[in-house]
Amino acid sequence: MRWFRRRPNRGLRQHERYPCCIQGALEIRERSYRIEGLVMEISRGGALFREASRFILDRVGMSVTVQTADISVTGTIVNMRPAGYGIRFDNLIDDTLVADLVSRYGVQ
C-alpha cells in the first residue's frame, strides 16, 4: 500500500512562486466574462488568482487572460482550490518582470 502515500510536492515546480497581492481581473476568453480579484502568487510560468466573490466555481480548463495594471498575460486554469485558481501561462514571463512585481507587490 505504499503507492497510496502522499509524496511531498517539493522540487516539482519549474519556477519559484512568490507571494504577492496585486489587484486585477481574470477574463474568461470564450465567454468575454470578467472576474475581479487578486493575484496572490506569481512565477514565470503562472499565477494564483483569488476571485473577489465568496465562491470559487469550477473553471478548470478554461482559457483566460490575467490582467493587472502592469501585465496582461494569457493562460489556462489548471486547478482550483479554496485559495483560488491555479493558472499556467501560455508563455513564460521575463524574470525581470517577475522581480519587479515582487519588489512592488510582494508580501512576506
Side-chain angles (χ1 to χ4, degrees):
M1 292 287 186
R2 47 183 256 171
W3 27 280
F4 284 113
R5 267 190 271 164
R6 288 194 80 148
R7 294 184 185 155
N9 199 15
R10 285 176 278 182
L12 297 180
R13 300 220 177 267
Q14 264 187 311
H15 307 285
E16 186 174 349
R17 289 184 176 187
Y18 300 96
C20 59
C21 188
I22 308 171
Q23 187 175 2
L26 191 66
E27 184 178 313
I28 309 288
R29 291 188 283 176
E30 291 90 21
R31 299 184 182 172
S32 297
Y33 181 69
R34 187 175 171 91
I35 302 167
E36 300 295 324
L38 297 171
V39 175
M40 304 298 292
E41 292 179 350
I42 190 86
S43 77
R44 289 192 69 208
L48 176 66
F49 183 86
R50 173 68 182 158
E51 188 171 340
S53 77
R54 297 171 127 188
F55 304 104
I56 301 291
L57 300 176
D58 188 356
R59 293 185 164 99
V60 173
M62 291 189 160
S63 296
V64 296
T65 301
V66 177
Q67 298 174 334
T68 72
D70 303 293
I71 63 169
S72 180
V73 60
T74 60
T76 303
I77 297 175
V78 293
N79 65 48
M80 57 174 269
R81 55 188 174 165
Y85 299 113
I87 300 163
R88 179 178 40 226
F89 297 150
D90 292 338
N91 299 300
L92 296 178
I93 59 176
D94 192 71
D95 279 326
T96 55
L97 177 57
V98 173
D100 180 52
L101 292 171
V102 172
S103 72
R104 292 193 295 156
Y105 305 106
V107 294
Q108 294 184 15

